[in-house]
Amino acid sequence: MATLGIDGTGQRLLRRLNPGPGGWQVGLATVATVGVALGLSALLIAVTGGSPTASTKALYQGSMASPAAWSTSLLYVAPLLLVAVGACVSARSGFFNIGQEGQVLIGALAGAWVGLRLAVPGPLLLVLVLLASVVGAGIWAGLSALMYRFRGVNIVVSTMLMTFLAQQLISFAVNTPWLLQESRLGRGTLSPQSNPVPENARLTSLGDYPNLQLNGGLVLAVVVAVVLALVMARTRWGFRLKMVGLNPAAARHAGVRVGALGGIALAISGALAGLAGALLLTSPVGTNRLQPGMSLNIGWDGLLVALVARNNPLLAIPVAVLFGVLRAGGSFLAATGVPSFLVDVVKALLVLAFVAPPVVIGMLRRRRLADEPATPTSTPTAPTAPAPTDPAAGSSEAAGSAPAGSTAPVPGPRTTAPPPADPGDAGTTGTKDAMEGRLA
């Protein structure tokens, strides 16, 4: 039976992706790599037959050119930010959770079940839908911690494989009439989706089209990010979480329950991903129906947001805005003849541009320190007392016992006399003197 501790594979990945060297070198290298990434993106667009200028204009028009475009971008920001903040929590504890895509689906499944099965009036139904999504996805992520605790299953592997299991569960739910498949209307064909959630189970927005609209999910996501950033930076629980991530052995020696704390962090990460799934179900970003492809790769992109933000919840807010802009503007690329999948290529290049400089600079620093020669340390020698002037000393010099002008150590009251010379050293010394005389 394995002991639930820090997942070794995830910890090594985090060390490679987030080594932590700062300074102006990393800043300049990041600016340079981002420029290279944008240049490569323009080159790929040109090679595929598109126009980089027209593509950039289309991205801008679809994401930032008008208040309505900003409204669409901000709708994507909310679930991306929630997934990223959850990834920051699990990464801080040393667990590398990569199953957010499946946890988003499980959260949407639990929320759809509650929203369509409970006849609760008023906004209480919306609260129950959000809570069900949080609890369902949190339990789903906690299963990976239990598998590691009792069977030694790797956290990275289990969270990734459970994503495919979640996809099959969603497909089964929306294709089963007694579960969550939509109701038949007349003789129409049933689709693999659920009925839309009721109106009182949907998040409202501030503002009217075509003006700027701020959905309640964005406010919720920003509040969660700020609160968790303060908790991880200013509370004892956050300090213990950081201690477990940096050195689980030292944390265990200090009395921290490493296994329980890591499992809770993984469950919180899954719960926030489930809350993102609830936003996809209850906000205007989707169709308000449970569908197999409703996650829209939000889980994977949210993980990328956390990596670019270097596991900082506050820094994840502007990064999520950037990814939301790319996602909202990507739908406008088809009008310019550029395939929409190039947006994913651009996102991948930007992730590498932000992640690679700290890794490369950290490797160069470690190699430079390893190549530097070690500075010799000189040991202080005890002062020696001069030999007493004694007439008998001349006869000693004449007898060859000590050369003229040499000083002999005088043992003090707490020092020991030097050990007697080895008789074998005399032959070695004589041979050396004879060879030096021949060479002279």
Side-chain angles (χ1 to χ4, degrees), residues 10 52 107 119 186 191 253 341 431:
S191 301
H253 183 72
F341 65 82
T431 304

Side-chain angles (χ1 to χ4, degrees), residues 175-276:
N175 284 282
T176 305
W178 58 267
L179 197 54
L180 284 175
Q181 190 177 26
E182 66 175 350
S183 302
R184 184 184 296 274
L185 297 176
R187 296 183 179 181
T189 304
L190 294 179
S191 301
Q193 61 183 6
S194 70
N195 292 327
V197 295
E199 290 289 339
N200 59 331
R202 302 180 188 179
L203 289 165
T204 59
S205 300
L206 300 176
D208 297 323
Y209 183 84
N211 298 322
L212 180 65
Q213 294 176 297
L214 295 178
N215 189 257
L218 178 63
V219 178
L220 179 62
V222 173
V223 170
V224 169
V226 174
V227 169
L228 280 179
L230 293 176
V231 168
M232 288 192 293
R234 300 297 181 183
T235 64
R236 182 180 301 177
W237 184 82
F239 177 74
R240 290 180 177 179
L241 195 70
K242 185 177 181 180
M243 183 190 303
V244 169
L246 292 177
N247 195 329
R252 189 179 293 109
H253 183 72
V256 179
R257 299 178 61 184
V258 174
L261 193 62
I264 291 173
L266 187 61
I268 291 175
S269 176
L272 292 179
L275 185 57

Side-chain angles (χ1 to χ4, degrees), residues 301-337:
D301 286 352
L303 180 60
L304 296 181
V305 170
L307 292 178
V308 174
R310 300 178 188 176
N311 300 321
N312 187 337
L314 293 180
L315 187 59
I317 296 176
V319 178
V321 173
L322 172 63
F323 275 71
V325 166
L326 290 176
R327 179 177 284 268
S331 59
F332 278 65
L333 287 179
T336 63

